[in-house]
Amino acid sequence: NAGVTQTPKFQVLKTGQSMTLQCAQDMNHNSMYWYRQDPGMGLRLIYYSASEGTTDKGEVPNGYNVSRLNKREFSLRLESAAPSQTSVYFCASSGGGQKETQYFGPGTRLLVL
Amino acid sequence: GNSVTQMEGPVTLSEEAFLTINCTYTATGYPSLFWYVQYPGEGLQLLLKATKADDKGSNKGFEATYRKETTSFHLEKGSVQVSDSAVYFCALRNTNAGKSTFGDGTTLTVKP
């Protein structure tokens, strides 16, 4: 039982390049989330998917797209990376209820030059 | 809308000192409340939670009580250890399958 896995762990991009961050969970959770974490700014929600087949914008969606490929997988795409997207990205998943805990992946550290 | 306000850090304590990290919230309805911990270089993990008023969550010597009258969920530990050094996040959730709201995090450093 691996929980939430993310790939890659580290990535360096040049401005304008594109990339996709992958996330998968093996807990049969309905809901999945993408956050970014920047120093002094806590966690900010980029996009989330309440269930397979649905996605919704969070606080900071500009410059990102997501795909809920199936119940297990939720990817985040940067179409044209910018230095402001340098951050640590976390994927999370949870069951559907209000009492449910969120389970986080280990994070992807992205540097955009 | 929902919001979570945490005690500003960083907090530095000596080993065996008493810890309190304050957390207050604003939310409609009856949210569930959580404390998550993030160790260096890792993702967040659940420390404890409480799902209704007056519930006490506890884990690894940490405790927090859901106080609806003061809209608070303060984290406490009687005797901290160096291994407790981490960032602590308070969070709430009041919709099914929806978003959680996180505080900004409080960095705790415990010195030997």
Side-chain angles (χ1 to χ4, degrees):
Chain A
N1 189 339
V4 179
T5 57
Q6 293 183 235
T7 56
K9 292 185 177 179
F10 303 96
Q11 185 71 49
V12 179
L13 292 179
K14 294 181 180 178
T15 297
Q17 288 185 317
S18 62
M19 78 163 294
T20 300
L21 282 65
Q22 306 286 354
C23 174
Q25 51 91 10
D26 62 1
M27 295 173 282
N28 201 36
H29 285 160
N30 288 321
S31 302
M32 297 186 74
Y33 310 83
W34 276 106
Y35 294 92
R36 60 178 289 172
Q37 184 177 32
D38 303 292
M41 301 189 75
L43 284 172
R44 293 185 290 171
L45 183 65
I46 305 170
Y47 271 93
Y48 69 104
S49 171
S51 61
E52 186 179 356
T54 69
T55 60
D56 287 285
K57 295 178 180 179
E59 302 171 63
V60 289
N62 291 343
Y64 305 95
N65 285 301
V66 291
S67 295
R68 183 74 183 265
L69 304 170
N70 48 55
K71 192 171 186 179
R72 289 188 64 247
E73 298 172 288
F74 188 40
S75 63
L76 178 71
R77 183 160 178 84
L78 287 69
E79 291 290 352
S80 178
S84 61
Q85 294 178 305
T86 293
S87 188
V88 181
Y89 292 85
F90 289 100
C91 178
S93 72
S94 72
Q98 175 179 318
K99 301 176 183 179
E100 298 291 330
T101 300
Q102 284 193 314
Y103 293 84
F104 286 79
T108 294
R109 285 150 183 79
L110 176 65
L111 174 62
V112 183
L113 301 175
Chain B
N2 299 331
S3 67
V4 175
T5 303
Q6 277 184 243
M7 168 179 168
E8 287 191 20
V11 174
T12 302
L13 295 173
S14 297
E15 204 165 25
E16 299 184 3
F18 184 85
L19 169 71
T20 300
I21 301 177
N22 290 336
C23 172
T24 57
Y25 68 90
T26 303
T28 55
Y30 301 93
S32 295
L33 301 174
F34 303 80
W35 277 101
Y36 289 86
V37 60
Q38 183 180 31
Y39 298 105
E42 298 183 9
L44 280 70
Q45 57 186 274
L46 179 71
L47 180 59
L48 53 84
K49 68 179 181 182
T51 59
K52 62 182 188 294
D54 299 325
D55 267 3
K56 178 186 284 188
S58 62
N59 186 26
K60 299 180 182 179
F62 291 89
E63 294 183 339
T65 301
Y66 188 162
R67 301 287 187 198
K68 189 162 180 64
E69 63 275 14
T70 54
T71 61
S72 65
F73 193 53
H74 304 320
L75 182 68
E76 296 182 337
K77 186 175 185 182
S79 176
V80 294
Q81 306 300 312
V82 172
S83 58
D84 295 326
S85 298
V87 183
Y88 294 81
F89 291 90
C90 185
L92 70 82
R93 185 168 179 176
N94 67 351
T95 58
N96 288 336
K99 301 173 286 186
S100 295
T101 301
F102 287 85
D104 288 341
T106 301
T107 300
L108 170 66
T109 300
V110 180
K111 296 189 173 181

